[in-house]
Amino acid sequence: MKKTDLRSLIFMALCCDLGLFTKKLISPAANFITEFLHIPGGIATSFSLMFLVIAAALMPFPFCATIMGIVQSLLALCFGMTGSMGALAPIGYILPGFMIDMVFFFSEKIYGRRNNGILISSIIASITACLTANFIVFRLSGIVLLVYALVAATSGSICGLLGEKLVERLHPVIGSDKATAKIPYKNKETT
């Protein structure tokens, strides 16, 4: 693993915490929508995963999102924020983090830069979290599972677009020197 500085570690820890606690903050509003659609969730989780995507985009370390997913799962277990998955909740945090890392890996290999993977990684991580929760707890099938996955993909795309804007704004302040060459953003003078 590449050497990390204290600023990067603090930023990643902050993103882990923000992912957990903002999920609790927006859950009541998200539950209003999901109860109307009669599906278990997917909206608050996508918002929570957005912080992992942002950190992984700004800190180009191998398996950054997976490590942060492990940290989030440990924090969730310690704080009793496991939801309906109980002791299997770490799977629901680690698999989406792994998928984020895979999307960024392939984005970097194919396009030579990470910022092409922000939107896609958010969508895929949201769908992965949805399918993981369904496999462990809900056991939905048919049209209900399809609606659940579509809501997760839609909220993942909205959070991915928001994540792209936040990465663009945070990159000059937080982005590491290693990320500068890999995440070229539009310069205000060229637009």
Side-chain angles (χ1 to χ4, degrees), residues 7-8 10-12 14-16 18 50-60 68 115 118 159-177 179-180 183-186 188:
R7 181 181 65 165
S8 300
I10 291 172
F11 180 71
M12 290 189 289
L14 180 67
C15 285
C16 285
L18 282 172
M50 177 183 70
F51 293 101
L52 292 185
V53 172
I54 290 169
L58 291 171
M59 305 293 152
M68 289 175 32
N115 65 335
I118 294 172
C159 291
L161 292 172
L162 178 61
E164 283 181 343
K165 293 297 180 188
L166 289 172
V167 167
E168 189 176 331
R169 300 272 176 134
L170 289 171
H171 184 262
V173 179
I174 303 293
S176 66
D177 294 335
T180 307
I183 308 178
Y185 288 101
K186 295 178 186 172
K188 293 196 183 245

Side-chain angles (χ1 to χ4, degrees), residues 29-159:
N31 289 343
F32 179 76
I33 297 168
T34 56
E35 285 177 15
F36 176 75
L37 295 172
H38 300 291
I39 57 173
I43 297 173
T45 302
S46 298
F47 192 75
S48 172
L49 290 170
M50 177 183 70
F51 293 101
L52 292 185
V53 172
I54 290 169
L58 291 171
M59 305 293 152
F61 304 116
F63 297 104
C64 174
T66 304
I67 293 168
M68 289 175 32
I70 293 168
V71 170
Q72 267 192 338
S73 68
L74 293 174
L75 289 172
L77 285 173
C78 291
F79 294 140
M81 301 170 70
T82 57
S84 56
M85 286 197 267
L88 296 177
I91 298 169
Y93 286 96
I94 295 168
L95 284 180
F98 180 74
M99 294 307 292
I100 292 168
D101 285 329
M102 290 297 97
V103 170
F104 278 132
F105 174 78
F106 287 116
S107 175
E108 200 168 343
K109 291 294 180 194
I110 294 169
Y111 300 109
R113 54 188 188 182
R114 297 173 71 83
N115 65 335
N116 286 346
I118 294 172
L119 177 64
I120 300 298
S121 65
S122 181
I123 294 169
I124 289 178
S126 297
I127 293 171
T128 302
C130 154
L131 295 177
T132 303
N134 185 60
F135 180 75
I136 293 173
V137 178
F138 303 119
R139 310 284 181 173
L140 302 174
S141 61
I143 193 74
V144 179
L145 177 60
L146 180 64
V147 170
Y148 183 28
L150 288 174
V151 167
T154 303
S155 60
S157 62
I158 292 168
C159 291

